[in-house]
Amino acid sequence: VESILIDSESEILIGRDLPDPLLPPNPDRRRVVVITQPGARVVAERAMQAAASTGVEVSLLLMPDREAAKSLTAVERAYHHLADFGLGRHDTVMAVGGGAVTDSGGFIAATWMRGVELVHVPTTLLAAIDAAIGGKTAVNLAGKNLVGVFWHPRRIVIDLDVIASLPDELKSEGAAEAIKAGLLAAPEIVEAYLERGLAADLELVVPAAVRVKADVVSRDFREAGERALLNLGHTVGHGLEFAAGISHGRAVAIGLVAAAAVSERLCDFGETTTVIGALEAAGLPTRAPRVDRRSVLTLVARDKKRTAEGIRMVLLEGIGRPVLRQVTDEDLAAGLVAVGL
Ligand SMILES: NC(=O)c1ccc[n+]([C@@H]2O[C@H](COP(=O)([O-])OP(=O)(O)OC[C@H]3O[C@@H](n4cnc5c(N)ncnc54)[C@H](O)[C@@H]3O)[C@@H](O)[C@H]2O)c1
């Protein structure tokens, strides 16, 4: 079992067969609510057993699948469940599932009685290397993630067997963020996908990607500066996600290619073919679907990264060497052309 610390607040355990101990030491704990979603039920039941074996009372709360878990209606139902169960100040919320459950479960833990202990058991690759790490919680309102608070999980437990058994589609979805982490600071991840595609060694990929996010977050918790680097591929990616209605991972993959092209133009980046090769090997698209270019541009312009001078984008001077740069509309246009827009 590998252990990675974020500040002194969160401990990440990476291993197999639900690495022990799932729950951090807490003599006052009497109850645990396990919040989950349909695809993670089997893992949630094992987590319940592990929690129950420590002598606490455990209750399961099944949220609706995917983004529906992040509605205020689902959150309100969850609060009633906690009230009926008697979850108190010294008790624990455990979120077992993909990013939708860690986001929503995190929000519930952060707001219940002004904040109770939170444990994450991410069961998708995306949640394990991204959503569960960094303390951002969120629910959706008029737009995605409009409501949320920062709340650190005390512990994050990643079971590599669970991640290895995911269907290819979910492995691809997470691979986009893993390759992003690799491009930022762990070239071995990019190599792993280039060489073996979706059969890339998760024992290498997961800890390396977790470390990239944990390092960035430790240095910059509230996103004043360095945390912005995690947005590599997301400027164009977000625009595409909503304009073309494609998944986040697929949109980020295309966004990474656009960012590589802009990097070629402004930073002498010379590895765009490596980026494309790794993404394709992971079953991800590297060209945009047919979609109105202007609608993507409008969404990019509205993106919060836009400042008075133009758009701030994360670019690469090389693999493992990211920089934040102001780019002009022409630079951005070159990135869009590179992905066929
Ligand atoms: N807080 C953050 O910093 C952060 C970062 C990135 C993404 N996110 C959020 O994460 C969410 C996306 O995460 P996601 O892709 O994990 O989505 P998700 O939670 O919706 O899960 C995707 C699907 O996988 C299923 N599933 C979960 N575990 C499984 C398993 N072991 N085997 C088979 N199926 C399983 C789920 O039931 C669901 O149908 C979005 O809401 C996004 O906003 C948050």
Side-chain angles (χ1 to χ4, degrees), residues 37-40 43 65-67 70 97-103 123-124 126-127 130-133 136-137 144-145 162 165-167 170 173 177 213 227 248:
Q37 69 191 157
V43 186
D65 208 24
R66 296 194 181 253
E67 292 300 298
K70 290 172 66 172
V101 168
T102 56
D103 270 13
T123 63
T124 64
L126 179 80
D130 192 1
I133 297 162
K136 281 189 182 178
T137 76
K144 212 168 131 76
N145 300 335
V162 170
S165 69
L166 289 170
L170 286 173
E173 191 63 24
E177 294 290 353
K213 180 143 189 195
R227 195 162 173 157
H248 181 74

Side-chain angles (χ1 to χ4, degrees), residues 22-23 31 45 61 92 98 116 162 185 192 198 244 261 303 321:
L22 218 46
L23 292 166
R31 294 185 173 82
E45 271 156 24
L61 171 59
T92 303
V116 296
V162 170
L198 284 188
D303 212 49
R321 285 187 292 132

Side-chain angles (χ1 to χ4, degrees), residues 2 5-6 78 99 114 130 155 187-190 207 264 278 321:
E2 198 164 341
L5 285 173
I6 305 187
R114 301 189 189 86
D130 192 1
R155 180 159 296 178
E188 68 273 22
I189 297 177
V190 181
E264 265 181 29
R321 285 187 292 132

